[in-house]
Amino acid sequence: DTEVRIRGEAERLGPTVERGFLTTFTVPDAPKINRQHGGRLELAQWITSSKNPLTARVAVNRIWQHLFGEGIVNTVDNFGINGGKPSHPELLDHLAQRFIANDWSVKKLVRSIALSHSYRLGSDETDSHREIDPANRLVWRHSPRRLSAEELRDSMLASSAQLVTRP
């Protein structure tokens, strides 16, 4: 439980408010807060609930951004009203549902994306595709990206047959 800070100032305390979920709108399937504990477990269970798909969508979008360079929602830090619209909303929902169904396994999600046709596309571009979608939001090619120092080193060692692949 905590006191309301009048006008946001730490020294000006107002009435005490019980810990819990927001009351200005209904939080679906919000668990009851155990008064003997801090409520963190209940909050974590609600955030990761399969009935709360926003968490999975944000996680999937961040993983997609890491693999493709840009998220399905290009404003990965803002899924709100001021954020961008998803280029493929059905894909985002599908991947989020699979992510939840696979017990939130990042490894399984990365594997399924890396084995997809979109991820395995080349970086070649055609004039007709560039005219229709110059920003590649429809993922008609794999956008080129800079290699990290480790990737560059490993590729040079692999091409010279000097890369040691055993642990």
Side-chain angles (χ1 to χ4, degrees), residues 9-133:
E9 297 198 23
E11 296 81 25
R12 297 184 61 200
L13 301 178
T16 301
V17 178
E18 289 184 5
R19 63 184 156 253
F21 291 91
L22 296 173
T23 57
T24 55
F25 57 88
T26 304
V27 177
D29 300 319
K32 297 292 182 200
I33 304 297
N34 183 344
R35 297 288 167 211
Q36 310 300 11
H37 302 289
R40 292 186 181 131
L41 175 63
E42 292 84 357
L43 177 62
Q45 288 170 338
W46 177 75
I47 287 173
T48 59
S49 169
S50 61
K51 296 177 182 173
N52 181 10
L54 183 60
T55 307
R57 286 182 183 137
V58 170
V60 165
N61 193 54
R62 286 189 174 276
I63 292 166
W64 185 276
Q65 179 202 24
H66 182 72
L67 294 171
F68 281 91
E70 183 174 351
I72 297 172
V73 177
N74 58 1
T75 55
V76 291
D77 294 329
N78 188 352
F79 260 60
I81 295 171
N82 296 329
K85 301 256 187 258
S87 60
H88 301 81
E90 296 86 7
L91 175 62
L92 184 61
D93 288 340
H94 171 74
L95 291 174
Q97 289 168 359
R98 283 184 58 183
F99 187 50
I100 292 170
N102 287 325
D103 295 325
W104 301 78
S105 172
V106 173
K107 183 177 183 177
K108 289 180 182 178
L109 177 64
V110 169
R111 181 183 295 127
S112 68
I113 293 173
L115 293 175
S116 71
H117 174 73
S118 298
Y119 189 78
R120 293 182 293 148
L121 287 171
S123 61
D124 300 336
E125 56 180 69
T126 62
D127 293 334
S128 61
H129 286 112
R130 196 175 331 108
E131 286 176 22
I132 295 169
D133 182 25

Side-chain angles (χ1 to χ4, degrees), residues 9 40 44 56 63 100 102 141 145 150 155 159 164 166:
E9 297 198 23
R40 292 186 181 131
I63 292 166
I100 292 170
N102 287 325
R141 69 182 176 105
R145 64 177 181 86
E150 291 83 10
S155 64
S159 65
V164 179
R166 63 182 179 278

Side-chain angles (χ1 to χ4, degrees), residues 152-163:
L152 185 58
R153 175 188 173 277
D154 289 350
S155 64
M156 289 185 338
L157 288 173
S159 65
S160 66
Q162 295 178 356
L163 182 65

